[in-house]
Amino acid sequence: MAPRDVVLEVEHLSMRFGGLVAVNDLSFSAARGDITALIGPNGAGKTTVFNCITGFYKPTSGRITMSLGGPAEPNDVAALTASGNRAMRTARGQLFLLERMPDYEITARAKVARTFQNIRLFPGMTVLENLIVAQHNALMIASGYTVKGLFGFGSYQRAEADAVALARSWLDRLGLTARADDAAGALAYGDQRRLEIARAMCTGPELLCLDEPAAGLNPRESSELKDFIRSIARDHGTSVLLIEHDMSVVMEISDKVVVLEYGIKIADGSPEAVRNDPKVIAAYLGVEDDAVAEAEAEIAQ
Amino acid sequence: MSAPASTLTIPGAVRDALKVGLITLGLSIPILAVRTDQNLSNQIVLLPRWGLVASAVGIAIAVRLAYLLLAAVRQARGGALIGSLGVRLPAQAGTMFARAAVVFLFLYPVIALSLAGTGGAVKWIDNFGIQILIFIMLGWGLNIVVGLAGLLDLGYVAFYAVGAYTTALLGKTFGLSFWLCLPLAGILAAFWGIILGFPVLRLRGDYLAIVTLAFGEIIRLVLINWVPVTNGYAGITGIPRPSFFGVPFNASDQGFSAVFGLPFSPLYRTVFLFYLILLLALLTNWVTLRLRRLPVGRAWEALREDEIACRALGINTTSTKLTAFAIGAGFGGFAGSFFAARQGFISPESFTFMESAVILAIVVLGGMGSQVGVAIAAVLMIGGTEILRELDWMKEIFGSGFDPTQYRMLLFGLAMVLIMVWRPRGLVSTREPSIFLSERRAVSGAHVREGHG
Ligand SMILES: Nc1ncnc2c1ncn2[C@@H]1O[C@H](COP(=O)(O)OP(=O)(O)OP(=O)(O)O)[C@@H](O)[C@H]1O
Ligand SMILES: [Mg+2]
């Protein structure tokens, strides 16, 4: 079996809020091009893991390695860790230690994009503008950090036309082209969720982190979303990290499932294996109280 | 999408225009009909000016009629409701209105001269024209910070002061000309914008407002107490006045009048200053409109809408905030520089919190982010103040001790309350998108956020 090409490696990640340990010594990895699901009961610490990966929280301890271009060599990771730097070029591509980087750089340089559990669009900007803002960094360079753009250089005009074309291609895929000039806040809830994913994709990510994208969707929307996420992974080769409560979505499209409970990883494997894992059944899929107590006793040991 | 347009008939339009004429007549009888003057023995003489009233009414009817007919022509395209006039305005009404306003502004000195004569025109061009334009420019500058980036700045007058004192001090100490001081004042004010920006980067809402308020006060207190440099309360006099490309506006042989073979009059300088501030204000507007369509401007608006989402999209919010502070402050500095050169004298009195409050009120009243709205609000607020000075006839009614300007703040407050009840999102509450795919549609104010601070 060929060695797994890991895009994101989380090692011994812990996050404490005062006395509360939201994530406790969590390790898992996400393979390139895969859809990796992160599931667990409410308050298990899933969103906290996302916030650590995307730099919104500084983890209490642990290492988060993002590797672009190919799998990371252990030697390179060790060298980068020892150097105290945030990033380094390797023979295959680039290596980033996300816990050392500020949030915006994680998107801009390490190519990790995310969506939010409670949608965060720019409601007063149009659908198209939302997708153009997502291409800010590329356009900023094209506009010569505003100087060239201010004087109307042709190169910026072309870059903007390209940005519109990219936005348009996503709108076409979502069937939202007719709404392009409407305020994002005026879209239906399901459309807002999908627009937020498209906006994240417009940043050109290698890893897309989706926080409960199916929340609040009806069954038809939810099944469309499944196809959409799958096509992002298959057609774009973008790796996906997915938090989701909707088990039909998780079990159908995930290549691997990581299960969290009270910040601790209780299972990690294929959807089949996880579904049949007694600990997961006890903790997550809902069983009688005594089974939960049993599982808790197990964890305590 | 397109709203049901009210059908407009020619007789209806004429009736409407006549109604406007009637209102104008009503308004102009107290304001324009009689002019008070002094005779040699210091007695007041009343000069009737019915011709002026007639022309004002005529202009009002003509403008209203032309406006309604134009609106009718454009109605087919469907329109956005601006509504403040109770009329459905066509989608391009904003642009058309702005163009017409610019043309009017360029003609304004000529109109003022022909209506008020050489003597009266100075007042109209200076008190109304220049004063309003300064505040339009300040409003547009602050609009970048508050309206676009959503950062509540209560100390904007500090940058106005920095610009003014830069020009005054550089001009007096080093003898630099106004034309050199102007860019330097802008740059220095922008620099101070960044200085203010750094400590407040992490602050939002009320906290940001309080710190910026304090910053404005600190600058003012420094100006008062750093007597060796700023001359304290007494202020700085004899600031070099701007020249007409090297030709000064004075009565000397090298002066503007002499060079161009005209009789000397202070009017030339006033007209020149009017066009100067008009160009500066238009430059501010042009730059702002341009920036709004560039990544940096879109990032400002995105920052106002949702800062966390911005960071998730790889936008460096620190530099985005700092550019907003710097560019907004820079325009304040330009305006301050112009102010110093126009007055020839500045003191800390001109840079109180009241000034910040008025500028902020203009931005909020205009509709945050809207250039046209801010301009209209400045005309209403500053024009309103100046008109109060003109209401001397009220002394006849309320007694000679009555000074209408004393009621300025009361009226301001009343107007603000009324307008905020009537149009809570300002005069122009819709947002123009910066880019569109197939059709430019204004975004309803209901969706637009006001920023967190
Ligand atoms: N900023 C914070 N400060 C303090 N406690 C926090 C913070 N963020 C999260 N927590 C706590 O950490 C725990 C994990 O929260 P988290 O939001 O990660 O759960 P989750 O798995 O995403 O749950 P859900 O499925 O409900 O979204 C919760 O107990 C939560 O209260
Ligand atoms: Mg969550």
Side-chain angles (χ1 to χ4, degrees):
Chain A
M1 197 174 104
R4 278 175 80 230
D5 180 359
V6 170
V7 65
L8 179 82
E9 179 88 58
V10 175
E11 294 162 279
H12 305 293
L13 180 72
S14 292
M15 183 77 222
R16 282 194 193 84
F17 299 106
L20 176 85
V21 185
V23 179
N24 194 355
D25 196 29
L26 171 71
S27 300
F28 72 92
S29 63
R32 199 177 306 278
D34 270 7
I35 299 175
T36 309
L38 193 58
I39 65 171
N42 289 111
K46 307 176 296 292
T47 300
T48 306
V49 171
F50 264 31
N51 282 335
C52 290
I53 294 173
T54 52
F56 282 84
Y57 292 161
K58 198 127 239 74
T60 315
S61 63
R63 182 165 70 183
I64 308 169
T65 319
M66 176 82 193
S67 97
L68 300 182
E73 296 291 338
N75 292 343
D76 288 341
V77 179
L80 177 56
T81 310
S83 73
N85 291 338
R86 294 167 178 177
M88 105 183 204
R89 289 195 175 280
T90 61
R92 290 201 186 89
Q94 277 173 293
L95 212 55
F96 296 92
L97 292 183
L98 302 188
E99 77 279 6
R100 296 181 180 174
M101 298 169 70
D103 44 23
Y104 69 91
E105 264 193 13
I106 290 178
T107 307
R109 294 180 59 207
K111 298 192 179 299
V112 179
R114 72 170 291 178
T115 63
F116 294 86
Q117 189 167 347
N118 42 351
I119 307 174
R120 284 187 174 275
L121 288 169
F122 305 122
M125 300 177 88
T126 66
V127 170
L128 179 65
E129 281 179 310
N130 267 271
L131 299 182
I132 300 288
V133 170
Q135 302 172 56
H136 175 83
N137 288 310
L139 286 173
M140 201 67 183
I141 294 167
S143 75
Y145 294 92
T146 305
V147 179
K148 272 157 78 184
L150 198 57
F151 296 103
F153 275 67
S155 56
Y156 172 68
Q157 312 281 326
R158 280 191 296 280
E160 195 181 68
D162 289 347
V164 172
L166 177 65
R168 164 122 210 202
S169 74
W170 281 103
L171 291 175
D172 287 342
R173 288 180 63 169
L174 294 177
L176 285 177
T177 315
R179 309 290 315 263
D181 299 318
D182 288 335
L187 293 186
Y189 185 82
D191 289 342
Q192 293 198 12
R193 279 236 173 260
R194 293 186 304 150
L195 177 62
E196 200 191 12
I197 300 176
R199 188 182 65 177
M201 285 307 291
C202 279
T203 65
E206 293 274 322
L207 176 69
L208 176 66
C209 302
L210 302 174
D211 197 343
E212 301 196 18
L217 301 192
N218 63 36
R220 188 181 52 80
E221 288 175 325
S222 158
S223 119
E224 277 171 16
L225 182 80
K226 255 187 286 199
D227 297 337
F228 184 50
I229 297 175
R230 211 188 263 135
S231 87
I232 284 175
R234 304 287 175 267
D235 308 343
H236 283 263
T238 306
S239 318
V240 176
L241 198 58
L242 172 73
I243 296 178
E244 189 48 69
H245 280 300
D246 185 336
M247 280 307 125
S248 75
V249 174
V250 171
M251 293 302 163
E252 202 174 315
I253 66 174
S254 309
D255 298 291
K256 171 176 165 172
V257 180
V258 176
V259 191
L260 276 186
E261 192 194 17
Y262 299 117
I264 296 168
K265 183 168 92 172
I266 57 169
D268 179 350
S270 69
E272 283 308 301
V274 165
R275 204 199 321 242
N276 299 322
D277 190 316
K279 268 199 277 186
V280 178
I281 297 171
Y284 193 81
L285 298 178
V287 288
E288 299 81 38
D289 284 355
D290 52 341
V292 174
E294 220 178 281
E296 273 170 354
E298 222 166 275
I299 291 160
Q301 274 165 24
Chain B
M1 157 67 206
S2 95
S6 59
T7 43
L8 195 113
T9 55
I10 301 275
V14 172
R15 247 198 317 276
D16 192 302
L18 287 178
K19 226 184 281 168
V20 169
L22 214 62
I23 295 173
T24 316
L25 181 68
L27 281 176
S28 50
I29 286 177
I31 299 175
L32 298 175
V34 200
R35 179 188 159 125
T36 55
D37 228 332
Q38 288 173 332
N39 63 15
L40 285 176
S41 45
N42 262 347
Q43 287 164 323
I44 284 186
V45 282
L46 298 178
L47 305 173
R49 297 190 296 184
W50 294 108
L52 196 60
V53 173
S55 40
V57 172
I59 289 173
I61 292 178
V63 167
R64 179 67 181 172
L65 203 59
Y67 166 79
L68 285 174
L69 293 180
L70 259 177
V73 170
R74 301 252 170 176
Q75 220 163 30
R77 300 191 186 186
L81 181 71
I82 289 189
S84 57
L85 304 167
V87 176
R88 212 162 272 280
L89 296 181
Q92 284 86 0
T95 340
M96 273 169 39
F97 174 77
R99 292 217 179 105
V102 170
V103 171
F104 171 76
L105 280 173
F106 272 100
L107 295 178
Y108 179 73
V110 183
I111 297 173
L113 270 174
S114 57
L115 288 182
T118 347
V122 170
K123 183 187 82 189
W124 283 96
I125 299 173
D126 198 43
N127 292 7
F128 285 87
I130 296 180
Q131 190 68 10
I132 290 175
L133 281 169
I134 289 178
F135 276 85
I136 288 181
M137 182 163 171
L138 288 169
W140 279 341
L142 184 62
N143 195 24
I144 292 177
V145 184
V146 178
L148 294 183
L151 304 162
L152 186 53
D153 183 350
L154 290 184
Y156 190 64
V157 77
F159 308 118
Y160 188 43
V162 167
Y165 271 85
T166 304
T167 301
L169 292 172
L170 288 180
K172 276 204 80 171
T173 323
F174 300 106
L176 297 186
S177 81
F178 167 74
W179 295 106
L180 215 59
C181 292
L182 181 70
L184 288 176
I187 291 168
L188 213 69
F191 173 72
W192 278 96
I194 294 175
I195 302 243
L196 166 68
F198 264 113
V200 302
L201 275 175
R202 289 161 175 281
L203 302 181
R204 304 167 138 222
D206 308 350
Y207 300 97
L208 177 67
I210 287 170
V211 175
T212 51
L213 174 76
F215 180 79
E217 285 304 290
I218 290 172
I219 295 271
R220 195 173 64 87
L221 290 174
V222 168
L223 294 179
I224 291 172
N225 291 303
W226 198 11
V227 178
V229 174
T230 63
N231 204 19
Y233 277 116
I236 301 175
T237 49
I239 301 163
R241 315 298 296 265
S243 58
F244 183 78
F245 302 104
V247 183
F249 289 94
N250 55 25
S252 74
D253 285 349
Q254 284 78 45
F256 182 83
S257 315
V259 168
F260 289 89
L262 300 162
F264 176 75
S265 157
L267 188 67
Y268 301 127
R269 190 213 304 273
T270 311
V271 171
F272 173 70
L273 286 174
F274 176 85
Y275 281 114
L276 180 59
I277 185 68
L278 179 57
L279 290 179
L280 283 174
L282 288 178
L283 178 77
T284 311
N285 182 45
W286 181 81
V287 170
T288 309
L289 289 180
R290 253 281 153 71
L291 288 176
R292 264 199 84 210
R293 294 188 172 85
L294 287 174
V296 61
R298 293 202 186 106
W300 289 340
E301 292 203 79
L303 190 70
R304 176 194 66 207
E305 296 285 315
D306 194 325
E307 179 173 349
I308 289 181
C310 277
R311 282 163 30 200
L313 296 176
I315 295 174
N316 184 342
T317 48
T318 304
S319 60
T320 305
K321 283 184 189 178
L322 288 181
T323 47
F325 272 121
I327 293 177
F331 287 127
F334 284 136
S337 176
F338 173 84
F339 175 76
R342 169 217 188 194
Q343 303 288 96
F345 160 75
I346 52 170
S347 77
E349 297 277 285
S350 309
F351 308 106
T352 57
F353 170 66
M354 208 43 242
E355 239 61 29
S356 284
V358 168
I359 303 166
L360 186 66
I362 286 173
V363 174
V364 173
L365 197 64
M368 301 214 293
S370 161
Q371 297 288 101
V372 173
V374 166
I376 296 174
V379 171
L380 292 180
M381 296 210 40
I382 307 303
T385 314
E386 294 299 326
I387 284 193
L388 286 180
R389 289 192 218 285
E390 304 295 317
L391 298 183
D392 276 345
W393 56 269
M394 289 181 100
K395 288 199 173 113
E396 313 277 318
I397 307 170
F398 296 105
S400 60
F402 180 80
D403 180 6
T405 47
Q406 306 255 302
Y407 294 85
R408 177 173 158 231
M409 280 304 131
L410 192 71
L411 290 176
F412 260 12
L414 203 63
M416 286 293 277
V417 169
L418 284 180
I419 289 180
M420 286 297 122
V421 168
W422 171 52
R423 297 193 69 77
R425 286 176 175 270
L427 295 173
V428 178
S429 56
T430 55
R431 174 184 171 269
E432 275 288 298
S434 65
I435 191 170
F436 61 98
L437 199 59
S438 49
E439 183 190 3
R440 185 182 293 282
R441 287 179 218 151
V443 173
S444 148
H447 297 298
V448 181
R449 298 221 174 127
E450 280 146 19
H452 331 269

